[in-house]
Amino acid sequence: MNIVMLPDATDSEVAQVVERLRAQGAEVSVSENDGRIVVAGSVEARLEQDAPWQSFPGVDRVVSTVPGGRLVGREHRSDDTVVNVGGALIGSGQPTVIAGPCAVESRDQLMTVARAVRDGGAHILRGDAFKPRTSPYSFQGLGKAGLEILAEARDVTGLPFVAEVLDPREVDLVASYADMLRIGTRNMSNHALLREVGRLSKPVLLKRGRAATVAEWIDAAEYVYREGNTDIVLVERGVRSFDASVRNMLDLTAVPLAKSLTHLPVMVDPSHAAGRSDLVAPLARAAVAAGADGLLIDVHHDPASALVDGAQALLPDQFADLMLEVRAVATAVGRDLPAG
């Protein structure tokens, strides 16, 4: 449950509520939203009902169940969250584009692509140094060396970058380089990892699991949010389908649905949804028209030689053309893209 304090609640009044919750064995987190202190605690329904929470000094109201993911739900906060990633805003009303290779393969490869996506109008660079692969014998990423190359690319292009983190033990390492941390689809339900990134003050990009419902996806964001990290961006990247003609089935229904249930920004990854470069552009246009707060686009200067997901990567010229198309759609629906 969430206990919302009055605007003028004192530190001692907040501490009294926290102490009572902990005495009942609850895990407690304290955050601030819309100028209010919110104390979140997990307690049994009986204890929630029996304790006279609203009679405590400084307490405004108690919210037991918030549709759409508790602290990340619309009932908790009506205003949209805007996440700042190195100066690039996600959720401001204008679509933000994150682009780059799926994986950092070499310095030359990343520098070439980073310059291309910057010139094409991207706002944030993507590229992973650690890659989760189905086969343990596939390319797993360059590790720390890949993060160092990404940091160099940021210095050269001026683009902040997002990188995936796979293991709670590697969170501090990746966070020491990246401007934003990404939780991939395989780790959406890795609660230890979600809690660990939640303890940082670094923005988090949270992808939906391949078989996750929208409610489960939003609950995953709650694990991050309740630890104190409120800079979370949700990413729809397609769900597993019965149709083998595409890699995943892009669920555009999830975009307006998630935005109605949560105040967090919602982006779309058409590259991983389709698994085919020829479908990326139409899916990207549809996502922007559906209200997505931004796009994640795979770009590679030589897709045929890519070590990871070359079939879905756009060439730099194709990415530049896509940006023109996306800008036209955004303008048509009154959501002009910010300058890259």
Side-chain angles (χ1 to χ4, degrees), residues 99-100 112-125 159 299 316 319:
T112 299
V113 177
R115 290 188 178 98
V117 298
R118 176 201 60 190
D119 295 344
H123 308 103
I124 301 171
L125 175 67
L159 294 177
V299 181
F319 173 70

Side-chain angles (χ1 to χ4, degrees), residues 98-143:
I98 300 174
C102 193
V104 180
E105 300 167 6
S106 70
R107 181 183 181 279
D108 289 344
Q109 169 249 12
L110 185 70
M111 290 300 177
T112 299
V113 177
R115 290 188 178 98
V117 298
R118 176 201 60 190
D119 295 344
H123 308 103
I124 301 171
L125 175 67
R126 66 151 297 165
D128 292 331
F130 297 92
K131 292 301 300 180
R133 306 301 300 279
T134 301
S135 169
Y137 303 107
S138 299
F139 177 65
Q140 305 287 316
L142 298 180

